[in-house]
């Protein structure tokens, strides 16, 4: 199966597939002509990659924890591999701090706008 057809099946772009390959997250077989030859196993791998990246963890974390996720038929099972829980907790903390920062910025904007006198030029 060619990259465009596989990308459509996997719900990602061909560019994303190439990125996963470059990161060594996905290693499809090659035909004698050098074309990628994707399999159902590759489809499961892409699903696992997307699940990990969807959490906000990056490609390096996906590489570390790819074996901690089982996927297939639309179902996923995650095993909390060593350090995975810690990294997810750290990510949640960063997101919480960023949310608090955004809330503060919104409040500052509201105060700023409330203190304005009429329309500007």
């Amino acid at each position: 199966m060619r990259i465009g057809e596989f990308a459509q099946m996997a719900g990602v772009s061909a560019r994303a597939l190439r990125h996963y390959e470059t990161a060594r997250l996905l290693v499809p077989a090659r035909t004698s002509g050098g074309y990628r030859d994707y399999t159902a196993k590759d489809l499961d791998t892409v699903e696992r990659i997307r699940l990990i990246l969807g959490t906000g963890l990056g490609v390096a974390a996906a590489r570390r924890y790819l074996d901690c996720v089982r996927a297939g038929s639309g179902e996923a099972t995650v095993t909390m591999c060593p350090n995975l829980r810690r990294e997810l907790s750290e990510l949640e903390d960063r997101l919480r701090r960023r949310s608090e920062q955004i809330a503060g910025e919104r409040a500052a904007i509201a105060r700023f706008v409330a203190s304005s006198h009429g329309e500007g030029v």
Side-chain angles (χ1 to χ4, degrees):
M1 179 180 327
R2 297 285 172 88
I3 193 168
E5 182 182 355
F6 183 76
Q8 188 172 10
M9 281 182 58
V12 297
S13 66
R15 183 175 184 214
L17 292 174
R18 289 184 195 97
H19 179 65
Y20 300 161
E21 270 189 70
T22 300
R24 305 294 293 163
L25 291 170
L26 181 65
V27 185
R30 296 281 181 157
T31 66
S32 59
Y35 291 102
R36 293 167 182 87
D37 189 20
Y38 295 102
T39 66
K41 182 182 173 196
D42 294 321
L43 196 58
D44 287 346
T45 299
V46 171
E47 186 177 349
R48 292 167 37 222
I49 293 166
R50 291 182 71 198
L51 285 167
I52 295 169
L53 296 179
T55 66
L57 292 173
V59 171
R63 196 177 308 107
R64 285 191 298 279
Y65 302 120
L66 195 59
D67 291 336
C68 301
V69 179
R70 298 284 173 257
S73 306
E75 302 247 344
T77 305
V78 178
T79 302
M80 282 298 151
C81 294
N83 298 319
L84 178 55
R85 169 61 67 196
R86 179 187 52 77
E87 283 196 54
L88 289 170
S89 293
E90 289 170 359
L91 179 58
E92 284 178 327
D93 288 344
R94 283 193 306 273
L95 291 171
R96 180 190 45 75
R97 286 191 304 273
R98 182 64 182 133
S99 291
E100 290 169 358
Q101 180 183 5
I102 290 169
E105 290 169 357
R106 283 189 172 140
I109 290 170
R111 287 189 305 274
F112 188 79
V113 170
S115 70
S116 69
H117 298 296
E119 294 293 317
V121 179

